[in-house]
Amino acid sequence: MSKRPWIVAAVLAGLAGAMAWACGPMFPNQLLDQRGATLKATPQNSFAFEAMHLLEATDKLTPEPVVEGDQGVNAEDQATAQGLTPAQAERVTHVRQAASGDEAYEQGKDLPADLRAYTAGAVAFARGDVSGAAGYFNQVLALPADQGRLRSVWAAFMLGRIHAAKAHDAAGEPAAFQPEREAAAKAFQLARQRAVDGASDPQGLAVSSFGEEARLYLYGHGVQCSWGNLYDDENHCGDGMAPADFKRAITLYAAQAGHGSSSGVQSLVAIAGYLTRNSSPMAGVLDNAVAQRMLVAYALARLDGRSFDSVAGENQKPDPRLASLVQAIEQFGPDKVAGADRVAALAYQAGQYQLSARLAGKAAGPLAAWVRAKLALQKGDLAAAGRAYAEAAQAFPKAGDSQPALEPANVDLLTGERGVLALARGEYVEALGYLYDAANAVGGDGNVYDEDQETAGYGYGNDAAYIAERVLTVDELKTFVDARAPATPVPANKPGENDYYRTLRPLGDNLRWLLARRLMRAGRYDEALPYFPVDGDPRFGTFDDEGKLHVSELRSQARAYARALHDGEHAWTKIGRAQGLYAAARIARENGMEILGYEQAPDYNDNGGSYQGGSGQDEKSLAQTFVTDGERQRFHASAPQPRWRFHYRYIAADHANAAADLLPARSQAFAAVLCQATGWMLQGPPDYDDNYQGWGEPAPTGIPARLQRATTLYQRYVKQGPYVAWADDFGRHCEEPDFDRARELQRSQQVAAVRHAVRRWFPYELSVFVVLLAGLAFWLVRRSRRRKGA
């Protein structure tokens, strides 16, 4: 029983594999990770959001449709994409094989007039007959409106492209360039007008014409500036562009973006990027409100502001282009500022706090109030910041606002920041409320993920779970859940539904589950049960290795655990109590994550225990600013016992060890419960020990706590337990404890003990018996004599 080489091997394997386990999924940024940076970050919308709201659409034109999946692969879809019936589409495909436009026109006699002429023009254009193509396109446009419905938008658009190509060829000759540019612009404008009047435009050509027309004004020094030219720092084609042309192009691209076109947004990105790198042309467009708002939006979203260095703990210098843009706008005077709230945010980002305060003070709306909150935080006035945040929340955009000041994601972010501020003010329940609201708003698990970046998004759900698990007391959380997170009904099973979607659960139900586990850890079992999901709820089910969903029975498991602990304390016999403790131990080992596990450290139930880290806070993070002593005290008071990963396995081992205390040391049950406990300590990933995170930090040294416990349990067996056939594989291959045999052994031991006592003390017992017998005889004789004498 002294063979333990495999235990040593397990120790070495655990240490050697520690670093290999550190990789995992992408995690969202938590607002509470860098609270100073969170509360100092500049309020800003994404550039795409701002670009799409520079000029609101006043019509119902739609951009080019996005084709997804298998859409458009069949004939009917292809015909619909052309605004035709399948029969018409088939005829057009045939006619397009003609050798010339005239031949196509001749073949298309059975087609509607506008479709016939347009198809002939398209064939001519494809064969290089631009003049013939233009003639057929003009023929379409000359038709009455009711006869040109199918292709008048298309024809005007193509005429615009033809004139745009001629303008491009004549770019170095102003006399030839200007007329062609004007003709192209008129054609593109006509395309939009025809679409507004009701002509067919399934390809979104009217919206695309904004961009095509905008390109007509991107000429400098006789050369057209492409996107590539504008992105190229060495190319200065834009220096030769007239400010009026820049402003005209920006306005057209803004109109395109305002109709929901991503192409228009990207065009504005290229222009804004160029202008912010070149101060002279930038100054020439700032008197235009659309151009000014575009530049401010770009600077806020795309230029590095006053970022917070978490290592140095200091603010870094902002991009100098920020200050240049703010200075250039300021020179126009306050009455020339387009969007004072945005410029206030820009001034804040550039570190010009006085200007920011002046502009934010004059502006209304949630963004301006948000900036005022940031300025109050910059001064350390948490109370004023709280009032400004509340004002911003009251001014949130309403559904259908044509010019919303905040995009939806920023409404959630502002709400989350209110939670960070409330936590910094010691308003713990309120902090959970704000972060819970933000998490509920984004849906799912309450976190926002950006798969394009290694660590991106916002972890509102993670932050809310941290406060619920480690900051609020159990009673505070229970009150919150009762008021804010009622249980939702189990959804009906839909035939054919993917099992994955059956496991999606509301955030409130997940918070109830977190509370249930906290109550279980506190020993408040009866209170915990109603907060567990009802048995059979698929939303809390698990998948096996074959992908089969097993519905949950968490409430029954929790009830069985509580009953087993009760038996372990109150059963009539020692072995009965041992049996209860072992039953509790096995439940804790097999279902501990679900009924006892922490949502975050050290167990990470939020990812099923698959990864260690990525959510919650620790001692190191609580050393930052905006953390109260009260929060630290609450964090320590709610610390897991023990603090190691999968802490419930240690609890299970402790239950088993306590069961061994009540069993006959030489019984099979004694050996079996210790063997099982040893095995539970040996199981687990390499970084199981000491809550090792693996986030670029050195792996822990020395023997992990779990292996120390395994060794202690094994040594207890060696010292006290009986020989069993599976001793050489102790902890790996264990029998289940036989409590009936333990009872038999205990009874036989009790009988043997009595017999041993009798044999050992028989001479003394006999002597005492003789003395007592003699004494009794003497007493009887004396009594008899007294009676006779009387």
Side-chain angles (χ1 to χ4, degrees):
M1 291 187 289
S2 61
K3 297 179 180 179
R4 292 183 293 167
W6 58 269
I7 292 184
V8 177
V11 174
L12 296 177
L15 294 178
M19 289 304 293
W21 196 266
C23 62
M26 294 179 291
F27 297 105
N29 294 323
Q30 300 176 132
L31 299 186
L32 299 178
D33 285 346
Q34 300 287 343
R35 303 183 195 187
T38 295
L39 294 176
K40 293 178 183 178
T42 302
Q44 56 187 245
N45 294 314
S46 68
F47 183 77
F49 174 84
E50 291 285 7
M52 289 183 175
H53 291 86
L54 290 172
L55 285 176
E56 291 296 322
T58 57
D59 50 55
K60 296 182 179 180
L61 299 179
T62 57
E64 179 181 358
V66 177
V67 178
E68 298 179 354
D70 295 332
Q71 184 181 356
V73 298
N74 59 55
E76 186 175 354
D77 287 343
Q78 292 175 356
T80 300
Q82 299 178 52
L84 306 175
T85 66
Q88 289 174 331
E90 184 176 357
R91 282 290 296 131
V92 168
T93 300
H94 177 75
V95 171
R96 275 183 171 272
Q97 306 305 314
S100 66
D102 293 341
E103 182 180 331
Y105 189 75
E106 183 66 22
Q107 292 181 11
K109 292 179 179 179
D110 59 330
L111 296 174
D114 62 339
L115 182 58
R116 177 188 182 188
Y118 178 81
T119 303
V123 171
F125 186 83
R127 305 294 185 265
D129 182 5
V130 176
S131 176
Y136 281 116
F137 293 146
N138 277 312
Q139 184 177 331
V140 173
L141 296 173
L143 291 169
D146 59 334
Q147 297 181 29
R149 186 185 62 81
L150 285 177
R151 286 295 183 263
S152 62
V153 173
W154 302 50
F157 185 84
M158 289 303 299
L159 275 177
R161 288 189 59 186
I162 289 173
H163 287 295
K166 291 181 178 179
H168 181 275
D169 294 339
E173 305 172 13
F177 173 78
Q178 288 294 343
E180 292 296 341
R181 182 166 75 170
E182 291 176 4
K186 289 180 179 179
F188 289 130
Q189 292 164 16
L190 179 60
R192 296 195 291 275
Q193 187 58 53
R194 289 297 179 96
V196 169
D197 291 341
S200 176
D201 184 25
Q203 296 291 318
L205 297 178
V207 173
S208 295
S209 71
F210 283 114
E212 294 293 332
E213 184 179 349
R215 293 179 62 199
L216 298 172
Y217 300 96
L218 296 181
Y219 283 86
H221 303 300
V223 178
Q224 187 176 41
C225 288
S226 65
W227 279 13
N229 298 144
L230 293 173
Y231 280 120
D232 186 1
D233 289 340
E234 302 299 325
N235 191 305
H236 296 280
C237 69
D239 293 353
M241 288 176 55
D245 286 348
F246 253 131
K247 288 182 278 190
R248 180 63 176 162
I250 290 169
T251 301
L252 287 165
Y253 280 133
Q256 184 182 16
H259 283 83
S261 170
S262 60
S263 177
V265 173
Q266 293 305 315
S267 298
L268 291 173
V269 169
I271 292 177
Y274 177 84
L275 291 175
T276 55
R277 295 192 305 272
N278 297 272
S279 58
S280 180
M282 180 182 73
V285 303
L286 285 176
D287 61 339
N288 178 272
V290 175
Q292 185 185 127
R293 287 190 58 189
M294 175 199 71
L295 289 168
V296 171
Y298 179 86
L300 282 170
R302 298 297 182 101
L303 301 185
D304 292 334
R306 187 170 289 271
S307 58
F308 188 80
D309 188 330
S310 60
V311 177
E314 299 174 352
N315 286 328
Q316 305 302 298
K317 292 183 178 180
D319 191 310
R321 289 177 290 174
L322 291 172
S324 298
L325 177 58
V326 172
Q327 183 179 7
I329 294 174
E330 191 177 13
Q331 289 176 352
F332 280 92
D335 58 328
K336 297 293 185 180
V337 172
D341 53 354
R342 272 78 169 175
V343 182
L346 181 64
Y348 174 84
Q349 187 175 27
Q352 298 186 24
Y353 300 123
Q354 292 183 351
L355 175 60
S356 177
R358 289 200 303 272
L359 292 170
K362 297 178 180 179
L367 182 58
W370 198 0
V371 173
R372 290 195 291 273
K374 299 291 183 174
L375 291 167
L377 287 167
Q378 192 263 338
K379 296 179 179 179
D381 191 343
L382 302 189
R387 292 191 295 272
Y389 269 116
E391 179 185 346
Q394 291 174 357
F396 278 162
K398 303 297 187 297
D401 281 359
S402 61
Q403 288 285 347
L406 295 178
E407 61 185 317
N410 269 339
V411 171
D412 303 330
L413 177 58
L414 191 151
T415 303
E417 287 187 7
R418 293 186 75 185
V420 178
L421 178 60
L423 197 59
R425 298 178 65 182
E427 300 166 350
Y428 307 120
V429 176
E430 291 81 355
L432 175 59
Y434 292 130
L435 285 163
Y436 179 73
D437 287 341
N440 253 332
V442 303
D445 63 358
N447 298 319
V448 180
Y449 301 92
D450 186 346
E451 296 180 357
D452 296 331
Q453 301 184 35
E454 182 177 354
T455 305
Y458 294 105
Y460 307 121
N462 287 352
D463 286 330
Y466 159 73
I467 297 174
E469 186 165 66
R470 301 301 305 273
V471 180
L472 265 60
T473 65
V474 176
D475 289 323
E476 287 172 340
L477 179 59
K478 185 173 181 295
T479 301
F480 181 92
V481 168
D482 289 342
R484 299 287 308 277
T488 60
V490 179
N493 187 11
K494 300 177 181 178
E497 183 180 22
N498 188 303
D499 280 345
Y500 166 76
Y501 296 103
R502 297 181 65 200
T503 63
L504 301 179
R505 54 183 174 265
L507 191 70
D509 289 274
N510 206 62
L511 187 62
R512 294 178 66 85
W513 187 22
L514 185 154
L515 169 61
R517 300 195 306 274
R518 281 200 71 177
L519 288 166
M520 290 291 288
R521 294 194 298 266
R524 297 162 63 172
Y525 308 120
D526 291 340
E527 294 179 73
L529 293 179
Y531 296 97
F532 279 106
V534 297
D535 291 350
D537 191 337
R539 297 173 297 178
F540 294 83
T542 56
F543 291 95
D544 59 22
D545 293 338
E546 297 179 356
K548 182 179 180 181
L549 175 63
H550 297 272
V551 297
S552 71
E553 296 181 352
L554 302 186
R555 191 172 292 187
S556 289
Q557 291 162 358
R559 184 181 291 109
Y561 179 74
R563 186 184 302 116
L565 286 179
H566 180 272
D567 292 344
E569 184 176 353
H570 299 289
W572 288 1
T573 65
K574 280 189 174 182
I575 294 181
R577 295 197 293 275
Q579 197 166 0
L581 286 170
Y582 178 73
R586 181 157 288 284
I587 294 172
R589 171 60 190 90
E590 295 176 354
N591 307 111
M593 179 68 83
E594 293 79 13
I595 65 173
L596 297 170
Y598 277 76
E599 186 73 0
Q600 297 174 345
D603 303 322
Y604 297 101
N605 180 66
D606 56 4
N607 61 57
S610 299
Y611 302 99
Q612 186 173 2
S615 64
Q617 303 299 312
D618 55 26
E619 291 281 357
K620 184 177 180 180
S621 68
L622 294 185
Q624 63 179 303
T625 57
F626 295 102
V627 178
T628 64
D629 289 338
E631 180 184 346
R632 296 187 184 97
Q633 292 168 2
R634 287 166 171 251
F635 179 81
H636 294 147
S638 62
Q641 298 296 332
R643 64 183 180 85
W644 298 298
R645 189 180 183 193
F646 301 158
H647 87 288
Y648 50 84
R649 295 189 181 182
Y650 294 86
I651 293 174
D654 288 343
H655 288 334
N657 198 33
D661 294 340
L662 301 172
L663 292 167
R666 308 302 295 176
S667 67
Q668 178 270 357
F670 178 89
V673 296
L674 290 178
C675 182
Q676 295 285 358
T678 301
W680 298 337
M681 288 292 91
L682 291 174
Q683 297 165 357
D687 64 341
Y688 178 109
D689 58 286
D690 301 326
N691 199 28
Y692 169 61
Q693 297 296 319
W695 301 105
E697 299 180 359
T701 58
I703 300 176
R706 65 186 179 91
L707 296 182
Q708 292 181 31
R709 291 219 181 180
T711 301
T712 299
L713 291 166
Y714 178 71
Q715 288 175 342
R716 180 181 182 187
Y717 160 70
V718 170
K719 183 177 180 180
Q720 301 175 5
Y723 173 77
V724 290
W726 28 271
D728 286 345
D729 283 331
F730 199 81
R732 286 187 170 181
H733 300 288
C734 309
E735 292 182 355
E736 280 296 311
D738 189 334
F739 293 103
D740 289 336
R741 286 171 55 190
R743 289 186 178 92
E744 293 175 3
L745 177 61
Q746 185 179 61
R747 284 194 293 268
S748 65
Q749 287 178 341
Q750 290 170 346
V751 171
V754 170
R755 288 175 178 175
H756 174 73
V758 169
R759 286 196 301 269
R760 179 177 180 182
W761 301 103
F762 181 74
Y764 303 101
E765 293 167 351
L766 183 58
S767 300
V768 172
F769 177 74
V770 170
V771 171
L772 291 175
L773 187 59
L776 178 59
F778 177 75
W779 178 77
L780 290 174
V781 171
R782 284 179 58 86
R783 182 182 179 189
S784 177
R785 289 176 179 177
R786 288 177 182 173
R787 286 181 177 178
K788 290 178 179 181

